[in-house]
Amino acid sequence: TEQEAFLNLWRTYDCLKGLEEAVFSEYQLSAQQYNALRLLRAVHPGSMPTLALGRRLISRSPDTTRMLDRLEERHLVIRVRRSENRRVVEIAITESGIQLLDSMSDRVVSMHRQQLGHLTEPELSAFVDLLKRIRQPHEAADGHWLND
């Protein structure tokens, strides 16, 4: 049934999230902060508007500004207002942010292996396809994830 499937999905998420939280806490980061840094690294040496970053985050959060404040306090990101439009705030990863991601890389790969390494490549591929299919009717048409 749908309820059984949902409850199993929720329980699985909780199990996997515990492993994630343990790793990211070693670096004083939340999963959301790590994801923001990862997205900003993808556009480095460029930047992106904070609203675009918010749309690309895995989990929607009403508190993106506060999350970015914490990253900026640690000198992991910088924010710049565009001179042609002061309302648009651009965000970019700093060299310190890149160094932090580099230092975490092996640990994150190991975490993902611990989470899902017991599945075969075909199982992982089928799992990803099924998750996309489940998520598709519930995401906004302009959602970043729909085209992945």
Side-chain angles (χ1 to χ4, degrees), residues 45-60:
S47 61
M48 73 170 62
T50 54
L51 290 177
L53 177 65
R55 283 193 299 273
R56 290 179 171 263
L57 291 172
I58 292 171
S59 299
R60 303 293 185 236

Side-chain angles (χ1 to χ4, degrees), residues 60-75:
R60 303 293 185 236
S61 172
D63 212 8
T64 302
T65 301
R66 190 169 304 156
M67 176 196 62
L68 294 174
D69 287 345
R70 289 186 194 111
L71 292 174
E72 192 173 36
E73 287 169 9
R74 292 180 61 188
H75 307 286

Side-chain angles (χ1 to χ4, degrees), residues 81-134:
R81 291 197 181 271
R82 289 185 177 177
S83 58
E84 68 275 9
N85 185 349
R86 301 282 302 153
R87 292 177 296 168
V88 175
V89 178
E90 293 276 333
I91 186 115
I93 192 168
T94 63
E95 286 303 317
S96 294
I98 290 170
Q99 289 171 6
L100 178 62
L101 289 180
D102 287 345
S103 72
M104 297 175 68
S105 179
D106 290 343
R107 190 73 177 93
V108 170
V109 168
S110 175
M111 172 194 66
H112 289 312
R113 281 199 185 109
Q114 186 179 2
Q115 289 171 319
L116 300 170
H118 58 287
L119 300 176
T120 65
E121 285 292 324
E123 287 173 329
L124 287 169
S125 185
F127 182 56
V128 168
D129 289 343
L130 188 56
L131 288 171
K132 287 179 179 181
R133 186 170 168 219
I134 292 167

